[in-house]
Structures are given as structure tokens and as C-alpha cells.
Amino acid sequence: MSVEPTGPIKIRLEQIFKAFGEKKVLRGVDLQVHEGESLVILGGSGTGKSVLLKHVIGLLKPDSGTVTVDGTDLASLDYREITHFRRRFGMAFQGGALFDSMDVFHNIAFPLERTRRFNRSQIRARVEECLALVRLEGTEKKAPSELSGGMRRRIGFARAIALEPQILLFDEPTSGLDPVMTAVIDDVILDLKRTLQSTTITITHDMTSAFRIADRLAMLHHGKVIAEASPEGMKNSPDPRVRQFIEGRANGPLNDHPADDPFSDHPADGPLNDTPEEGPSTKTRPPQESP
Amino acid sequence: MGPIRQLFETLFTEVGRLTLLLWRVLVWTPRPPYDPRQLLEQMVRIGIQSVPVVLLTAMFTGMVMAIQTYRVLVRFSAEAYVGSLVSLSMVRELACVLSALMIAGRCGSAMGAELGTMRVTEQIDALEVLATDPIHYLVVPRVWATTLMLPLLVGIADAVGIFGGYLVAVVMMGTNPVTYMANTFQFMELTDLTSGLIKAAVFGLIIATVGCQKGFYTTGGAAGVGKATTQAVVTASIAVLIADFFLTKILF
């Protein structure tokens, strides 16, 4: 598949393997993201997309393989260094992950306050700017519990972009939003890319949105990248699995048991559709100290 | 051997995890950025807002102690010593243990539930992503607030418990108030008071560390949060009682 590099490599994932107990989620992921590029990761529910994203920012550590960001191997950083290193990232979570002990204003102001680089009026101005970007002006005083799911997601998005980070990670930023709001979020992502030259990785199920924001797309299936291409290349992909996903058909090779899957060179242990959508592996982080 | 081995395994893993968390709390404590607001907020929640509960507990315990000791001491005509018995029991033992158990129920559970919810809704992940160490931000203020506030609460409980005993002995049992007060302080030494307060600080440390540890490493959604909350209270209460034995042995 033809993939044109657009700049120096910002993020490099090499042979990432990750299992939670018996469940092998990532089975050797290789992926590169170039500076200023917008990569969209496609894949069915439970294929390890969120887990992959958490590896990029070091929330999860791979069982084997390396994650390199800006030439730094994340495994070489201790917990203090990685805390500092994360300043260059912004991440929006699936459910928003807003701090429910704070109102909307303080949620968005949180990353700004923690850096100690801004005064009060600068923080206020930036929060207003971020709220305007996601079209939720005037909600500063609201508590997260007063907001709808879609609004919470947009606030989470605003919080992720508050510090104008170099690398943005979006975990399904538009799922559950109406088409107009989806377009707004897409525009914000494109805008950030244009103005800040941010490198973005977005997970999405929404094909329209995916093709709108992507410079390049990668498809994850059974813990491996099975296709990587430009939007045009993806649309014209001959791979029946990619075709099934893009066209959104219920039946096709993606449903096949991986053992019978002619495209999979990895013997696996469960059909795609059997994987629970909200397993502990994707929603929460397992305890660091297992019993 | 099976169940005994299992018991010891559980015991040692629990103690190991708590020690590890406590170590990280100590390592993070002196590091900037300092957030006095967080510490203050927790001190208000754990200290000030627990005052009514601790007051009631100490008041009634002091009153019951007075009735019980009076009824027993009167059998060998030693009822003059009700004051000494009530005050020494309160100051050395009852005030700190009962306050600790109330705080475990009131604040240990809250820590388990709050941090547990933050874990399962990815708020703890979000903190890390926002370049904030969650132990530094969430656990450090809770542990210090509880360790500092519990001795203060116990100080109040000491006074109120003694007052409760006085009320019962003087008003209900008709003891001479002057003898009662004299007896209350006659046999009390400063070490009685300080040992109770030292125990309270250690209990505070235990309650907060256990509560935060259970919450911080929660897995499994709403059910997991429920489990973490229960475990926070049960483990903290038992740990307080066990620690009480050893501390009493060492301190007296």
C-alpha cells in the first residue's frame, strides 16, 4: 500500500504486544506517525484501538516492543520524567473523563493552571476561546453532571486542546454527536492541524469524519495493523476486510474466525464480534500491582 | 495448611501494597507543584465536617462508661474513682479507637468510592495525561489531611468524653462534682494523653492509605467501586484494631 511520508517521524510504534491475562489485545503493532500528520485508526469495537492509544501516551506499558515519541523511548523515562514529557500531549477520552469535582471552567483551566505559566486573565481568555471552539460558550459554571454525554465529550475535547499540544490523541471524539457537531469537531481538528502543525491520532467509527480529517488511515484488526493507506488508497482498497468495514456490511471476512481467516498470519483465539465492547482492557486501566 | 497459607499471603500482599503506596506518597510530598487548596479542602472534609460525628460518639461513650463503671465500682464502694476510670479509658484508648473507626466509615469509604469512580471513568488517566501525577494530586493531600486531623478530632473527643462522664456521674448519680473532677485528673499523666494522640495520627495514616489504595486500583465498573468502598472500610477498621494492639504494647 502506498504511504507517502509527509515529514520527520514523530511517533513510532514497533512490534507492540499487549495482553490482559489470557486476552491478547495487541499482537505486534507497527505504526509510524509523521510530524503534522493526521492519522485515523479504524477498527471494530474491541480490536484494541483505545489500548493502542494509551500506549502512545504511556498510560499502558507494552509487554514487548517500543514506543518512541520525538526520538525518546517512553520505557526509558521514570515516572517523574514521563509526567513532564506528557506536556506535549493532549488527549480526549471516550466518555470525556471530566473531573466531576470541578465545574466546566476549572476542568478546562486545569492543564493551564498546572503549568504555572499563565495568569488569571490569560487562563480565563483561553478557556473562553476553547469553549467557543466547541460551541459551548457560557457553560463555565456548569457541573459535568449537568451536561449531556455529547457536551461532556466536547468539554473533554476543549480540555485536551487547551494547552495547544504538539500531539493530540482523540478516542472517538465524534461518536454520539449529531452530524453538525461532528462536522464542528472535525473542523476544529483540521484547524489545529493547520495552525499548530499538531500531529493527531484519532480513533473513529465514523467513516465520513475519518475521510474528512485523515491524511492517512490505518485499520486495526485482531491486534494488528492490516491496512495502511491514504484516504484514496483506503477507498480503493481491494482488501475485502477493509471493504466490509468502509461499506459497513454486517457479513464479510471481518466476522470470520481468525483461524480460518486467509488474511491473518497470526493464529488467534476469538472472532471479532465476540469481543465485549467495554472490557476492562479498553475502559479502565488494570491495577499496576496485580495480586 | 491451605486456608492459613492463604491468610498469610493476603496479609503480606496487603501490607506490601500499602507500604508501596505510602512510599510513593512520601516521595511525592516535598515535590512541587504544591497545592495547598487540595490539602485544605481535604482537611475541612475530614476534620471539620467530622466534628459532629466524633462529638456524638465521644459524648455517649463517656456517658455509658460512667454508668457502667459506677454500677461496677459501687459494688466494692470505689465509686469515687469513676472519674479516673472514665477519663483514663477515654484518653488512652476509647477516644482514638472509636474516632478512628468513625473516620474509617465516614472518610475511608469516601476515598475508596471517590478514587474508585475516578479510576473507572478514566479521570485518573486524564490526570496523568494532563501531566499531573495522580498520587501527588489525589493521594498525598488525603493522607496528610487525615494524619493531621485525626489527632485534633481525638483531642476534642477526649474532652467531650470526659464531660459526658461528668454529666452522668454528677447529674444522674449524684457524685460530688469537686471530688469527681479531682479524681479525673489525679491519676492522669501527660503520656496518657500523648500516647492517645500518637495512636490517632498512625490510625489516620492507615485509614487514608487503605482508602486511597482500594480506590486507586479499582477495576470493574460500578460493581468494582462498590467492592473498593466496602474493602476500604473493612480493611481500614481491622488494620486500626490490629495496629492499636501493637501500638499500645509499644507506647505504654
Side-chain angles (χ1 to χ4, degrees):
Chain A
M1 241 148 260
S2 68
V3 175
E4 319 84 56
T6 52
I9 289 168
K10 189 87 174 163
I11 300 162
R12 188 200 296 272
L13 301 165
E14 279 170 305
Q15 282 300 302
I16 304 292
F17 283 86
K18 182 73 179 181
F20 296 102
E22 289 293 295
K23 197 173 164 234
K24 296 181 187 126
V25 179
L26 302 178
R27 311 154 184 262
V29 173
D30 285 299
L31 205 60
Q32 291 174 1
V33 191
H34 301 276
E35 195 165 333
E37 185 183 34
S38 168
L39 176 76
V40 168
I41 299 177
L42 305 170
S45 299
T47 46
K49 300 184 306 293
S50 296
V51 173
L52 185 67
L53 213 57
K54 287 185 179 178
H55 277 84
V56 173
I57 196 165
L59 282 176
L60 290 171
K61 289 190 174 61
D63 295 337
S64 70
T66 51
V67 182
T68 319
V69 178
D70 285 337
T72 310
D73 180 359
L74 290 190
S76 72
L77 302 172
D78 72 17
Y79 61 100
R80 283 176 66 194
E81 289 165 335
I82 198 151
T83 301
H84 194 76
F85 196 75
R86 291 206 179 102
R87 291 256 159 93
R88 63 191 77 190
F89 287 96
M91 180 168 178
F93 290 85
Q94 267 181 41
L98 301 183
F99 303 126
D100 35 36
S101 58
M102 305 173 194
D103 61 15
V104 166
F105 176 86
H106 285 103
N107 262 287
I108 301 174
F110 186 85
L112 302 163
E113 282 167 355
R114 295 295 285 185
T115 62
R116 320 254 146 170
R117 273 189 280 145
F118 306 96
N119 62 33
R120 260 160 200 261
S121 59
Q122 282 171 316
I123 290 175
R124 184 158 296 280
R126 181 65 191 149
V127 170
E128 272 167 20
E129 207 176 302
C130 288
L131 279 174
L133 274 177
V134 295
R135 303 203 182 162
L136 282 172
E137 300 94 333
T139 53
E140 283 96 336
K141 290 272 179 303
K142 285 212 159 69
S145 54
E146 296 174 70
L147 303 173
S148 73
M151 284 160 97
R152 251 178 284 179
R153 202 186 292 264
R154 277 144 70 192
I155 301 293
F157 186 91
R159 185 178 65 185
I161 60 172
L163 273 177
E164 307 189 328
Q166 309 162 20
I167 304 167
L168 284 157
L169 309 175
F170 298 123
D171 195 347
E172 299 188 11
T174 55
S175 72
L177 298 184
D178 62 70
V180 175
M181 223 39 245
T182 303
V184 167
I185 295 284
D186 289 347
D187 283 347
V188 174
I189 294 177
L190 287 173
D191 218 45
L192 285 169
K193 202 187 110 188
R194 209 167 27 237
T195 53
L196 303 171
Q197 264 93 52
S198 295
T199 309
T200 60
I201 303 180
T202 312
I203 290 174
T204 187
H205 288 143
D206 185 332
M207 296 315 298
T208 327
S209 155
F211 285 119
R212 196 149 46 193
I213 59 177
D215 293 326
R216 201 155 56 91
L217 297 108
M219 184 163 166
L220 207 62
H221 184 49
H222 290 307
K224 292 193 80 166
V225 176
I226 55 162
E228 227 182 308
S230 64
E232 277 311 303
M234 213 52 146
K235 274 180 193 157
N236 303 322
S237 170
D239 188 325
R241 294 168 300 179
V242 176
R243 297 237 60 80
Q244 186 197 346
F245 195 84
I246 293 179
E247 289 159 16
R249 279 181 285 112
N251 296 307
L254 288 176
N255 309 41
D256 290 346
H257 195 281
D260 320 322
D261 189 351
F263 298 95
S264 170
D265 46 358
H266 241 274
D269 44 19
L272 174 86
N273 293 0
D274 273 3
T275 329
E277 184 168 2
E278 298 195 340
S281 51
T282 56
K283 287 300 269 188
T284 61
R285 194 166 152 216
Q288 289 173 338
E289 315 149 345
S290 50
Chain B
M1 281 310 281
I4 297 177
R5 196 184 146 182
Q6 210 178 5
L7 183 78
F8 273 94
E9 261 179 28
T10 323
L11 190 72
F12 282 120
T13 36
E14 282 296 298
V15 172
R17 287 174 175 192
L18 292 175
T19 316
L20 218 65
L21 183 66
L22 201 57
W23 172 247
R24 287 179 72 181
V25 168
L26 292 178
V27 167
W28 271 111
T29 299
R31 296 212 173 118
Y34 306 111
D35 209 334
R37 260 185 322 176
Q38 284 290 317
L39 182 67
L40 219 65
E41 194 190 313
Q42 292 301 326
M43 284 169 88
V44 169
R45 263 210 258 175
I46 295 159
I48 315 284
Q49 291 177 10
S50 300
V51 167
V53 177
V54 169
L55 273 183
L56 279 172
T57 311
M59 186 78 187
F60 279 94
T61 308
M63 280 158 54
V64 168
M65 279 294 294
I67 299 175
Q68 292 282 30
T69 50
Y70 183 86
R71 297 246 163 98
V72 174
L73 290 177
V74 85
R75 289 178 199 173
F76 28 92
S77 318
E79 65 268 30
Y81 295 106
V82 168
S84 321
L85 247 162
V86 170
S87 58
L88 283 173
S89 323
M90 281 311 291
V91 167
R92 287 170 64 109
E93 183 63 34
L94 290 174
C96 60
V97 171
L98 291 178
S99 303
L101 292 179
M102 295 310 283
I103 297 301
R106 194 183 172 276
C107 304
S109 60
M111 290 175 205
E114 193 179 358
L115 299 199
T117 307
M118 289 188 77
R119 166 66 73 196
V120 301
T121 55
E122 294 185 313
Q123 290 179 53
I124 290 183
D125 284 346
L127 274 176
E128 284 194 59
V129 169
L130 297 169
T132 303
D133 186 276
I135 294 200
H136 192 209
Y137 187 75
L138 296 171
V139 183
V140 168
R142 281 171 174 76
V143 167
W144 282 113
T146 321
T147 310
L148 294 173
M149 291 318 272
L150 200 54
L152 288 179
L153 288 170
V154 169
I156 299 173
D158 285 341
V160 172
I162 290 171
F163 174 71
Y166 174 88
L167 220 61
V168 166
V170 172
V171 177
M172 280 170 61
M173 312 292 185
T175 314
N176 181 313
V178 179
T179 354
Y180 187 91
M181 281 320 280
N183 273 329
T184 293
F185 294 109
Q186 192 185 349
F187 300 104
M188 198 186 291
E189 288 166 23
L190 190 64
T191 51
D192 292 325
L193 194 70
T194 50
S195 68
L197 298 181
I198 293 170
K199 284 206 288 190
V202 177
F203 295 162
L205 195 70
I206 291 173
I207 292 164
T209 315
V210 170
C212 290
Q213 197 270 339
K214 293 293 173 201
F216 201 79
Y217 296 108
T218 301
T219 47
V225 175
K227 214 173 110 191
T229 312
T230 312
Q231 281 185 349
V233 180
V234 173
T235 312
S237 305
I238 290 173
V240 161
L241 294 174
I242 294 174
D244 184 40
F245 173 78
F246 289 104
L247 285 173
T248 311
K249 190 89 180 53
I250 295 164
L251 288 172
F252 289 91

